[in-house]
Amino acid sequence: MDDLESEPRVPGEEQGENESSDDDESINRKRIKKQNLPLAPPLFKETTCETGFHKTTRNCLQHIREDLLHHRWQDAADYMASYSQTLEDTTANMPQLYAEIIWRIGTEILHHHPDSKLEDYNSFYERVKHSGVKNYLKVCLEHSFHLLVNGQFEDAKRQLSIAESWRYGKLSAGQSQRIRLIQAYSGFLDYFIWCDKKATASSTDEYDAAVNQEMHSYFRQSSVNLKEIMKLPGVWDPFVLSYIDMLEFYNDHEGAVKVLNDYAYDKSFPPNPNAHVYLYRYMKKQNHPLKKLLKVLKILHTLVPSHELMPEYCSLLVQSEKEGDLQKALGVVLDLLDYSSWRSNLAVWNHLMNIIKRLRMKKQWLKIFAEEMGYRKDWWLAIHFSTFQARKDSAENRELLEVKSFVVGAFCPRYTSMYCGVGKAARKGVTSEVQKAKRNPKQLRNIRRLRRESGQQSQD
């Protein structure tokens, strides 16, 4: 990173250093004025009543900031060792702020320092925990995360157990939500230990009663904490999935479906598409009726019309014999094609082609199509069947060109000649260029390179 304090110079200034002193003076006068860069203001400003110690710590924090910006992690660590003396300042009027600064910046330095070890983290977190009681629970939770990432499940569990038993007068009473979150992560760690025991039990052919009893013990501990956090409105995807995994292992399928239903349909919870995805996949795995699967996917379609499960929802609607489901399938496909990520998807256009083939058996199929087209009628054809799109489809996917030609020909024949004609002309032009270039090997190589870059998959 360039030095932010340096003054930018005009081009050619370095050549002037080798000329006479008069030239140097003229060049110096041409220096650009130092810019006022929009840097963040310092945390602490100079005051009239500050002591020498406070001034030193303020300058020290400024040096730490500069070292962090320039990724000088060792220098930042050296300054941080000195800055930590602010915790011993009895005259400080903001001790909690000093403690949080040391915690946040010190953690950042440890994450990026090339020589940091797990012992350094443990020592640092233990010191920070007792330097500011307001941050005690958050530091314990972050410490357990770091141990969890490094595979230290037992140590992470111990840290959370210590945090659960933490009490500090009225301050602890006001942090009930954080304590519940810590209890939830404690149950989450019990689930990880349960998975480890399950893997050990499955690796041996013989039945081990002691291992299975230990697994069940961790299951009970984890279930108590996970069920408590799922009573609170929020997004608890990792906790829900871990609890469902354990219930499925013990064949409690009814309990698993009840948990997923509550998580998806409880109105006090924020809208969460993942909740409906988990419910659908579990119900599909347990071979639930088609009617229930369609109900779940209908809500998911309302929340996320472009979800990756929508083609599957369309297939299920087509399979359904209920009157009106085919029209719903048409609406789902048209919703998908409104998004740029699906506009060139061959599977989605095939769905639309098959739906149109079935709709054409009905007398008023054009009226049904017009109802679903709705607000799209003014721009849908121009987006999907423009001359640019025809050339693109012809170059990238000939099968897609054929499917889209059938679709547009079914309800708007006048677009067929334009779309197909441009596509065939573009393909013919490419073929003629290749035939001419066969006489010139260098030109042929250039054409092949351009076709690879544009994503063309056809054979010469």
Side-chain angles (χ1 to χ4, degrees):
M1 184 184 296
D2 295 332
D3 189 359
L4 296 178
E5 298 296 329
S6 62
E7 296 181 353
R9 303 188 179 189
V10 297
E13 185 176 350
E14 294 181 358
Q15 288 84 346
E17 293 177 357
N18 298 324
E19 298 177 359
S20 63
S21 59
D22 294 337
D23 293 335
D24 291 340
E25 292 178 1
S26 62
I27 291 176
N28 289 334
R29 286 195 297 268
K30 293 180 183 179
R31 286 189 180 183
I32 302 173
K33 186 179 179 181
K34 185 177 179 180
Q35 299 177 0
N36 294 322
L37 297 177
L39 297 176
L43 290 173
F44 303 102
K45 296 182 180 180
E46 183 179 359
T47 60
T48 56
C49 58
E50 72 176 358
T51 63
F53 176 76
H54 293 155
K55 181 178 180 180
T56 302
T57 55
R58 179 169 54 80
N59 292 333
C60 184
L61 183 60
Q62 185 64 26
H63 283 297
I64 294 173
R65 180 193 185 195
E66 293 294 327
D67 289 335
L68 290 177
L69 288 173
H70 293 83
H71 296 179
R72 296 191 292 260
W73 308 114
Q74 183 57 50
D75 294 341
D78 294 338
Y79 280 117
M80 180 55 69
S82 301
Y83 187 76
S84 60
Q85 296 178 19
T86 55
L87 298 176
E88 303 172 6
D89 183 15
T90 57
T91 64
N93 56 357
M94 295 181 292
Q96 292 296 331
L97 180 58
Y98 288 125
E100 185 162 0
I101 288 173
I102 293 173
W103 167 35
R104 301 291 188 185
I105 297 180
T107 305
E108 190 71 17
I109 294 172
L110 282 173
H111 281 332
H112 292 89
H113 198 288
D115 298 328
S116 59
K117 301 176 182 178
L118 184 60
E119 292 77 10
D120 300 329
Y121 279 93
N122 293 335
S123 175
F124 175 75
Y125 279 123
E126 289 299 328
R127 184 177 182 184
V128 172
K129 285 177 192 176
H130 301 287
S131 62
V133 291
K134 287 187 177 180
N135 298 323
Y136 186 88
L137 293 179
K138 291 190 288 186
V139 176
C140 283
L141 190 58
E142 185 177 296
H143 191 188
S144 65
F145 286 162
H146 183 75
L147 291 170
L148 181 62
V149 169
N150 286 274
Q152 306 291 326
F153 296 134
E154 297 291 347
D155 292 339
K157 172 69 176 175
R158 184 166 55 254
Q159 288 296 327
L160 292 177
S161 300
I162 294 172
E164 284 185 68
S165 60
W166 176 78
R167 297 293 182 272
Y168 196 84
K170 295 182 180 179
L171 194 61
S172 58
Q175 300 194 32
S176 58
Q177 289 188 347
R178 286 201 185 108
I179 292 176
R180 285 192 176 185
L181 185 61
I182 285 174
Q183 290 172 346
Y185 275 105
S186 179
F188 196 44
L189 280 174
D190 287 329
Y191 164 72
F192 277 109
I193 298 173
W194 176 86
C195 289
D196 192 31
K197 302 294 181 184
K198 184 181 73 170
T200 303
S202 61
S203 62
T204 57
D205 297 332
E206 299 180 0
Y207 176 80
D208 193 337
V211 173
N212 282 275
Q213 185 177 359
E214 193 176 9
M215 280 179 59
H216 201 71
S217 175
Y218 279 109
F219 164 69
R220 289 196 305 269
Q221 294 176 24
S222 179
S223 300
V224 171
N225 290 321
L226 293 178
K227 284 191 291 187
E228 285 299 317
I229 196 65
M230 284 187 286
K231 292 178 182 178
L232 301 176
V235 179
W236 311 117
D237 292 355
F239 304 138
V240 171
L241 290 177
S242 58
Y243 187 41
I244 295 301
D245 186 25
M246 292 187 291
L247 291 176
E248 185 179 8
F249 179 80
Y250 291 108
N251 295 320
D252 187 4
H253 301 299
E254 292 183 1
V257 172
K258 183 179 183 304
V259 170
L260 290 172
N261 268 302
D262 293 341
Y263 188 53
Y265 297 120
D266 193 331
K267 294 183 179 179
S268 63
F269 281 61
N272 182 7
N274 290 340
H276 302 278
V277 173
Y278 302 149
L279 177 60
Y280 168 74
R281 286 176 175 166
Y282 189 83
M283 293 175 68
K284 180 183 177 183
K285 190 176 181 181
Q286 299 301 322
N287 298 319
H288 280 243
L290 178 62
K291 183 179 179 180
K292 293 184 177 181
L293 298 178
L294 289 175
K295 180 183 176 182
V296 179
L297 290 178
K298 180 181 178 181
I299 300 177
L300 180 61
H301 174 254
T302 304
L303 295 174
V304 189
S306 61
H307 196 275
E308 60 182 8
L309 285 176
M310 289 305 102
E312 191 169 340
Y313 179 37
C314 180
S315 299
L316 294 178
L317 287 171
V318 172
Q319 294 173 18
S320 175
E321 298 179 356
K322 186 178 177 180
E323 185 69 23
D325 280 353
L326 192 61
Q327 184 174 350
K328 291 180 181 178
L330 176 61
V332 172
V333 171
L334 292 176
D335 286 340
L336 277 175
L337 293 174
D338 289 344
Y339 294 87
S340 59
S341 56
W342 291 100
R343 284 177 190 166
S344 298
N345 189 284
L346 179 61
V348 176
W349 283 101
N350 274 324
H351 277 304
L352 181 56
M353 181 178 67
N354 294 330
I355 291 170
I356 290 176
K357 287 180 179 179
R358 294 188 59 173
L359 281 175
R360 291 175 74 175
M361 300 176 184
K362 300 182 178 182
K363 293 182 179 179
Q364 297 183 339
W365 80 273
L366 284 174
K367 182 179 178 181
I368 295 174
F369 194 88
E371 288 178 2
E372 292 300 326
M373 186 65 67
Y375 61 90
R376 302 180 180 93
K377 61 182 180 180
D378 295 331
W379 50 264
W380 198 79
L381 290 170
I383 284 182
H384 295 289
F385 302 99
S386 63
T387 55
F388 169 78
Q389 194 65 41
R391 294 191 187 97
K392 185 173 181 290
D393 295 339
S394 175
E396 295 180 356
N397 195 334
R398 292 185 182 180
E399 188 177 356
L400 178 62
L401 181 71
E402 296 173 0
V403 173
K404 291 177 69 174
S405 300
F406 172 85
V407 170
V408 72
F411 66 93
C412 190
R414 67 185 181 86
Y415 262 81
T416 307
S417 57
M418 182 193 72
Y419 178 74
C420 298
V422 172
K424 291 178 180 179
R427 190 165 64 247
K428 183 178 180 181
V430 172
T431 305
S432 61
E433 285 183 7
V434 172
Q435 290 176 349
K436 292 178 182 179
K438 285 183 177 180
R439 302 172 184 175
N440 188 340
K442 184 177 180 181
Q443 186 178 359
L444 180 60
R445 286 195 298 270
N446 291 334
I447 291 176
R448 287 174 175 172
R449 178 177 57 81
L450 291 173
R451 291 176 65 186
R452 284 196 301 271
E453 292 176 356
S454 63
Q456 186 167 352
Q457 300 176 353
S458 60
Q459 298 290 334
D460 289 346

